[in-house]
Amino acid sequence: MEDATALKARIKNMIVENLMLQITASEIVDERPLFGPDSLGLDSVDALQLVVGLDKQFGLKIPDPAAAKEILHSVNTMVAAIQRAGAAGGLR
Amino acid sequence: MNQRVILITGANGGLGQAIAQTFLDEAGENLVCLGVHRQRERAEVLVEKNSARCRCINLDVTIPEAWASAVARILDEHKRLDVLVNNAGKHEDGLLGTLPAASWQSVLASNLDGVFHGCQAVLPAMISQRNGRIINIASLSALLAPAGQTNYAAAKAGVIALTQSLAKEVARIGITVNAVCPGYVETEALAGMNEVDRKAAKAQIPMRRFGRPEEIASAVRFLACPEASYITGSILKVDGGIL
């Protein structure tokens, strides 16, 4: 399985590219919340794009809004979800 | 214009047929998927005439799983979906005082729930592409709210509100969402109207004639064309000047 550092880099690139952010991938801090106060400032439309991006690029299917809230909290939580799904054989 | 993949629901009806034909005529590269449910005879004739770039897809618009299956098939075969035309719908007119609840529910299911399910089914693909066109066929009934059409008028008014709300949600992803409101159009919907009612209806229309399905289809094609890229959340009336 891909190591966490490489996975984080790919996720950050996906965030910047899919959401057309005016920052570089390296400026995204692993544990910083993506939504809400003191966050990267993403909104619900960004979340929808991330759900689609995680499915398309990483094969991670997010089943419902509650799971999305948990998984999309930060880069770290996305990495953890991808690794969990990979260990469980749930990724394409 | 590059190849575009277009899905049209209610494609066996007069309006669906005209919309499909318009997209087939627009560009030789267009691939047109005809969403059909119970009736498919006319759609199959269109497929026979255009077998290389037109096909029928089973699609009961009221069932989310049917949408998932239809969209998955299109993406498997063509890898993209550029345009969705939510055209399927039906009337079950009657005064509200005696309207069976089943008529309310089935008209709402076909005309409004179907649009919701359709938009939800195609969004992931359009988000991935960062491009897409959704055109919802509403009705002048949504704006005129005639007596005897509480179910249909409410459903189509819901389609207009859905269109405007969704347009705001997905505008920055490159997806446009618009609605067309046909007035009286020479389709099977008018076929049951007697001559007296037809005259009375025409008298309400400043152009003094019913619309042709092709005239509605042209509006749909316009909203799907590259030149309409900055139009979203719009409600385009095609009604001969009634409103």
Side-chain angles (χ1 to χ4, degrees), chain B residues 10-22 34 42-44 46 87:
Chain B
N12 199 64
L15 190 49
Q17 289 276 295
I19 294 168
Q21 189 63 58
T22 295
L34 307 174
R42 295 169 71 189
E44 282 174 351
L46 199 58
N87 167 65

Side-chain angles (χ1 to χ4, degrees), chain B residues 70-175:
Chain B
V71 171
R73 186 181 154 194
I74 291 167
L75 295 176
D76 278 349
E77 290 179 8
H78 308 300
K79 312 301 176 204
R80 58 184 300 111
L81 176 51
D82 301 286
V83 180
L84 168 65
V85 183
N86 279 309
N87 167 65
K90 68 175 186 181
H91 294 259
E92 283 185 27
D93 295 352
L95 299 178
L96 184 139
T98 53
L99 189 73
S103 285
W104 173 265
Q105 286 154 359
S106 76
V107 167
L108 267 285
S110 282
N111 293 289
L112 182 56
D113 295 2
V115 174
F116 163 74
H117 296 314
C119 292
Q120 203 165 52
V122 304
L123 272 187
M126 290 183 175
I127 289 171
S128 288
Q129 295 163 193
R130 299 196 70 79
N131 187 274
R133 299 293 173 91
I134 297 173
I135 296 128
N136 297 323
I137 305 301
S139 167
L140 207 60
S141 290
L143 308 172
L144 290 173
Q149 285 199 328
T150 49
N151 50 3
Y152 187 72
K156 292 299 193 183
V159 169
I160 288 176
L162 182 157
T163 298
Q164 293 175 321
S165 181
L166 179 60
K168 293 187 178 87
E169 291 182 14
V170 298
R172 71 177 195 238
I173 311 173
I175 302 167

